[in-house]
Amino acid sequence: MRASSVGRRCVGAVCALLLAVAALAGCDRWSDSGDAEPRPVTTSARPSGYGAVFLEVAECSSFGTTSFTEVPCTSERAAARVIARYDGRVADGPLCPPATDFVLHISETRPTADENGDGAVPQGYACMRKLEAPHPGDPGGGGGPRTIVGDCVYSAGSGQVRETACDGKGRKPPQYRVTSAVVDRSECPSSTALYVQLGGGRPVGCARPV
């Protein structure tokens, strides 16, 4: 999660990786974005019979707050397309692509009667991209399961930060923008005011005040 202050004083919080948060005037500030794992949107799925694999890459789903179904992408009910699909738990699997708008968690399903020929559906998760704008997963969009270069964040207190829209139309105004992603924070430019934990191959986000 991320650092809380815009000023140049030590925040004093310790992130999940036990990396100290400190002030610019003599020490570095580090913040865990909390986005190393995709955030879940739903927790159940109902196989619908479209395709050999439930919610395979390039297939579409309807929207739902407690459940969702797979539908043809040409259907008026289609709301988002699968851009990546993984079996198992999110915590144990790969990160979703940066363009992901939200993540659908798929519960394991083993139907006793297989009317549609679907068979069992293993536990997994689908990385989804909405069919229509706006796309919260785009840089600066203010949402999505991952924090990426171009995103903005604000202080959430207790050494944490949260993502918000860079255009100021979110619930909270932006305080920092992630301008680059690097392997080690020593590679960030001198203008960096905050180090954000991103995950992936370049896990350090270099952020500057907005």
Side-chain angles (χ1 to χ4, degrees):
M1 322 291 283
R2 305 178 200 163
S4 59
S5 175
V6 183
R8 298 195 173 200
R9 58 186 179 80
C10 289
V11 184
V14 178
C15 73
L17 297 180
L18 300 183
L19 295 173
V21 177
L24 292 175
C27 51
D28 296 327
R29 296 201 311 192
W30 178 275
S31 175
D32 185 351
S33 69
D35 295 320
E37 300 174 2
R39 293 189 293 268
V41 172
T42 63
T43 57
S44 63
R46 291 181 294 161
S48 63
Y50 296 102
V53 178
F54 181 66
L55 284 181
E56 181 60 283
V57 173
E59 294 179 340
C60 293
S61 77
S62 62
F63 272 140
T65 56
T66 59
S67 65
F68 54 91
T69 59
E70 180 182 313
V71 296
C73 291
T74 55
S75 168
E76 62 181 12
R77 297 178 58 216
R81 189 186 307 272
V82 182
I83 60 175
R85 172 76 156 80
Y86 305 107
D87 290 337
R89 300 188 310 149
V90 170
D92 301 327
L95 294 175
C96 282
T100 302
D101 286 330
F102 62 95
V103 177
L104 293 180
H105 284 201
I106 301 169
S107 301
E108 182 178 24
T109 304
R110 296 185 180 277
T112 55
D114 185 12
E115 297 178 356
N116 297 320
D118 297 328
V121 177
Q123 180 185 21
Y125 57 100
C127 309
M128 309 298 295
R129 175 83 171 172
K130 292 170 59 179
L131 296 181
E132 298 181 357
H135 295 285
D138 283 350
R146 295 183 56 183
T147 299
I148 59 177
V149 173
D151 281 342
C152 293
V153 298
Y154 68 93
S155 170
S158 302
Q160 301 177 0
V161 295
R162 300 293 183 192
E163 190 176 331
T164 189
C166 290
D167 60 9
K169 295 181 180 179
R171 291 187 300 173
K172 298 287 186 178
Q175 295 177 329
Y176 299 93
R177 184 192 296 267
V178 179
T179 57
S180 60
V182 297
V183 175
D184 186 85
R185 55 180 174 172
S186 63
E187 302 174 28
C188 285
S190 58
S191 58
T192 300
L194 184 71
Y195 302 98
V196 180
Q197 182 72 24
L198 302 180
R202 293 180 177 271
V204 181
C206 314
R208 295 189 294 184
V210 176

